[in-house]
Amino acid sequence: MANLTTVTRISQEKHPRNISKHLNYGTAGFRSRATELDHILYRMGVLAALRSKSKDGDTIGVMITASHNPEEDNGVKLIDPLGEMLESSWEKHATCLANAGDEEFQVVLSEIVETFKIDMNCKSSVAIGMDTRASSPGLNTAVVDGVKSVDGLCFDYGTITTPQLHYMVRCINTRNAYGMATIEGYCNKLSKALKNIWQNQGERKVYKPHIIVDCANGVGAKRLKDIAERFDKILSIEIRNAGEGKLNYRCGADYVKVNQRGPEGIDCIEGQKYASFDGDADRIVFYYTDKDNIFHLLDGDKVATLIASYLIGLIRKCGLELNLGIVQTAYANGNSTAYIQDELKVPVACVCTGVKHLHRKALEFEIGVYFEANGHGTILFSDSALSKIESSCSSSSNESEKLSANELRTFVDLVNQTVGDSISDMLIVETILRDKDWDVADWDKSYRNLANRLLVVKVNDRSVFETTNAERTVIKPTGLQKAIDDHVKLFPNGRSFVRPSGTEDVVRIYAESDTQENADQLALAVAKSTYDLAGGTGNLPTL
């Protein structure tokens, strides 16, 4: 039986708390400078093993990554048995354990064991993965020490994308019913699904099976190469920013989305299709330049609408009645929401920012498509939907309906349902573009995004902000929402909101309008009001 006194001794001797600042476990887990995280990674190893014991030995995942953050940062998040985010009731315990002083550590551990009635004699197992940061191997060692301190078993996958680790955890706990819990199994599942769908689509005149992918100098480069090699001549994938430069520096999905231009080092050629991953390959955005050398971004909103239009058509061809819905956040472009509701006739739900909120809401639909505008998202198929699809495959008397149902069933295997996955999402987009026989410009024409701008204002204390209406309305500071409303009235198709960061004392300003100039001016006006009414620090943001 694991002894909590031994756990505490190892913590104090090998992984003592070396910082005084308080860190919160949020949607992305913990993130900070890598030099501040050793004791937290040890403690999360312990917590993951305890979580496993509380789930009767089911494997829990620990991913070491800071996603799109700078290279000197790192972080950690826990993954629950079916590949989902850590259950929210455990987040506060993760925060307490991470911030406890060395002398309080055992007391907090004991409280967790007592709260969840954990049988310390129960076996536990933890799957561990990490991104390519130089600090990751050392932090991996801290996690392993934590798991072993409570007699847990480790499955160390080494360098792996975040969504791949989510996939592995689900495979292990479903006894490989979801797929084989190996990189080979992951690649086989996705590549087999793509090839099976494509072979029934016939030749295409417009669609071009070629894409150039910016991998942000992160782990996605190696893992994309694993699967790209399986496509022979049916899909050409060129990999750029494969590790020769600095992680996430002037490249990657976040850089492209925020700056609305291609990554440095890639000269966008007219009509060529490009995509950018983030550092741990769970976000993706697409882009191209037109004949006038104008940059066009196709972000998470565009991906969600493309997927929804494809699924609607396929569901109708199957003759099935399935409840399909799309989940967005306040950052979704207003025209994307209008297109979904008015053209696709699909219900839209808006939730607070954070994948856990979108994932939870998507589960309310038989087929739930969720994407944040930043390119993080996936598709969830309920047991009810899968049962209806399977029944149509086997019992439909209409040959056309049966073929469509088989395509839909195969499409399910192309989706990593555990979390947003850059590789899976890229293959999904390629498959749908091929099905529609579209090039990237055809896709972009489905609807026109409103011009938008995202700015950041530094404030003394982000805790003074309080929002409601899925973060679209600010309640505090008093008077700020009225100021925003007054600014919005001055701009055609104007919309703006402010949202405090969950990890630092900054406030994000989002604005959109009919032209880029108007969107910029609206964002700057709201930023100044926020600065004045909320105790801004430093310089006002500029463009």
Side-chain angles (χ1 to χ4, degrees):
M1 174 178 175
N3 187 311
L4 294 185
T5 301
T6 301
V7 178
T8 304
R9 178 182 57 76
I10 294 173
S11 172
Q12 292 174 341
E13 292 178 357
K14 295 182 65 177
H15 306 284
R17 187 178 182 215
N18 63 352
I19 61 169
S20 58
K21 75 176 183 182
H22 186 91
L23 295 177
N24 286 310
Y25 190 102
T27 299
F30 293 109
R31 285 187 192 170
S32 189
R33 287 290 187 262
T35 53
E36 301 171 342
L37 291 172
D38 181 78
H39 73 287
I40 290 179
L41 271 290
Y42 171 78
R43 295 174 184 201
M44 290 306 101
V46 174
L47 188 67
L50 294 181
R51 176 69 173 158
S52 175
K53 291 177 186 291
S54 78
K55 303 297 286 185
D56 297 323
D58 281 351
T59 298
I60 300 298
V62 176
M63 184 65 202
I64 304 167
T65 183
S67 186
H68 59 280
N69 281 36
E71 193 169 24
E72 57 269 22
D73 290 354
N74 216 321
V76 59
K77 68 174 184 175
L78 273 58
I79 301 168
D80 260 0
L82 291 181
E84 69 271 56
M85 310 290 281
L86 177 67
E87 183 181 306
S88 58
S89 64
W90 278 67
E91 291 181 3
K92 63 181 180 181
H93 297 287
T95 296
C96 287
L97 192 62
N99 292 289
D102 288 336
E103 67 284 353
E104 304 165 334
F105 180 54
Q106 186 168 328
V107 174
V108 175
L109 268 181
S110 299
E111 289 174 350
I112 293 172
V113 172
E114 177 59 30
T115 298
F116 295 102
K117 308 300 180 188
I118 297 172
D119 180 2
M120 295 301 289
N121 289 310
C122 183
K123 293 181 179 179
S124 62
S125 64
V126 176
I128 307 171
M130 62 182 180
D131 69 14
T132 55
R133 296 165 199 268
S135 58
S136 291
L139 295 176
N140 183 295
T141 298
V143 175
V144 172
D145 286 348
V147 174
K148 290 184 175 179
S149 72
V150 285
D151 300 331
L153 177 65
C154 293
F155 295 99
D156 193 344
Y157 281 96
T159 305
I160 192 173
T161 72
T162 293
Q164 284 178 334
L165 186 65
H166 282 257
Y167 166 91
M168 301 303 171
V169 170
R170 184 162 181 166
C171 289
I172 293 170
N173 290 316
T174 59
R175 308 296 188 269
N176 290 324
Y178 186 68
M180 296 298 294
T182 61
I183 294 295
E184 182 81 5
Y186 170 90
C187 292
N188 283 342
K189 182 178 180 180
L190 269 59
S191 61
K192 181 180 178 182
L194 181 139
K195 288 178 180 178
N196 285 344
I197 295 174
W198 285 32
Q199 71 181 3
N200 294 319
Q201 288 180 337
E203 294 299 319
R204 291 295 183 262
K205 296 179 179 179
V206 177
Y207 168 76
K208 299 179 180 65
H210 178 222
I211 186 167
I212 296 173
V213 184
D214 154 36
C215 288
N217 292 309
V219 63
K222 180 178 181 180
R223 294 313 176 197
L224 179 58
K225 184 179 179 182
D226 292 335
I227 198 166
E229 294 171 344
R230 298 164 187 266
F231 295 127
D232 301 319
K233 297 180 180 179
I234 67 170
L235 176 61
S236 170
I237 302 172
E238 287 187 44
I239 301 173
R240 305 284 179 84
N241 291 326
E244 64 275 11
K246 189 175 181 181
L247 178 68
N248 293 322
Y249 182 68
R250 295 182 177 176
C251 60
D254 193 60
Y255 177 86
V256 173
K257 169 65 176 173
V258 172
N259 294 282
Q260 298 187 41
R261 62 170 177 260
E264 292 195 2
I266 295 181
D267 295 323
C268 293
I269 301 170
E270 176 194 337
Q272 172 61 49
K273 182 173 43 187
Y274 299 87
S276 283
F277 292 0
D278 64 338
D280 66 335
D282 63 1
R283 295 185 189 182
I284 185 170
V285 296
F286 297 80
Y287 46 96
Y288 71 102
T289 57
D290 62 22
K291 59 183 177 59
D292 297 317
N293 202 34
I294 296 173
F295 178 82
H296 294 257
L297 174 69
L298 296 97
D299 59 9
D301 297 336
K302 288 279 190 178
V303 175
T305 55
L306 180 72
I307 291 171
S309 67
Y310 169 79
L311 288 175
I312 290 167
L314 202 50
I315 290 168
R316 288 172 181 163
K317 290 178 183 177
C318 297
L320 292 174
E321 291 290 334
L322 289 169
N323 176 25
L324 170 70
I326 293 182
V327 186
Q328 297 182 316
T329 71
Y331 289 105
N333 194 277
N335 275 1
S336 75
T337 307
Y339 174 75
I340 295 165
Q341 294 174 325
D342 300 338
E343 299 295 326
L344 299 182
K345 307 297 184 185
V346 171
V348 179
C350 184
V351 298
C352 294
T353 303
V355 174
K356 66 180 180 182
H357 302 298
L358 288 98
H359 194 99
R360 189 180 302 126
K361 189 66 178 180
L363 290 169
E364 296 179 11
F365 299 96
E366 285 186 292
I367 301 179
V369 180
Y370 74 81
F371 271 84
E372 293 184 292
N374 63 25
H376 193 171
T378 189
I379 314 160
L380 304 183
F381 295 87
S382 68
D383 289 341
S384 170
L386 294 174
S387 177
K388 290 178 181 179
I389 295 167
E390 190 64 39
S391 177
S392 183
C393 288
S394 59
S395 62
S396 177
S397 59
N398 184 303
E399 191 61 30
S400 177
E401 288 183 358
K402 185 177 288 188
L403 285 172
S404 295
N406 273 290
E407 180 178 339
L408 184 53
R409 180 175 62 180
T410 304
F411 181 81
V412 172
D413 284 340
L414 193 57
V415 180
N416 185 348
Q417 297 186 60
T418 62
V419 75
D421 183 339
S422 300
I423 295 174
S424 169
D425 289 341
M426 185 197 75
L427 298 179
I428 287 169
V429 166
E430 291 297 322
T431 295
I432 297 173
L433 292 180
R434 191 177 194 279
D435 177 79
K436 293 177 177 292
D437 197 16
W438 280 359
D439 64 16
V440 66
D442 292 325
W443 172 21
D444 196 23
K445 292 173 186 174
S446 57
Y447 70 88
R448 176 180 172 273
N449 270 329
L450 287 168
N452 57 87
R453 179 63 65 187
L454 183 65
L455 298 176
V456 173
V457 173
K458 293 182 179 180
V459 295
N460 286 314
D461 182 8
R462 70 181 185 277
S463 69
V464 303
F465 284 80
E466 184 179 342
T467 63
T468 187
N469 188 27
E471 301 177 315
R472 292 174 289 189
T473 304
V474 60
I475 300 173
K476 295 179 181 178
T478 304
L480 180 54
Q481 186 59 51
K482 183 182 183 305
I484 294 172
D485 292 341
D486 289 343
H487 293 312
V488 166
K489 291 175 184 176
L490 302 176
F491 297 90
N493 301 117
R495 182 172 74 94
S496 183
F497 67 91
V498 302
R499 174 180 171 268
S501 168
T503 57
E504 53 186 328
D505 284 324
V506 301
V507 178
R508 307 191 193 284
I509 313 295
Y510 178 83
E512 62 186 27
S513 187
D514 60 334
T515 67
Q516 191 61 56
E517 181 181 1
N518 283 340
D520 291 346
Q521 292 305 311
L522 176 55
L524 288 169
V526 173
K528 186 176 187 310
S529 292
T530 303
Y531 188 96
D532 292 342
L533 293 170
T537 62
N539 297 322
L540 273 167
T542 58
L543 299 178

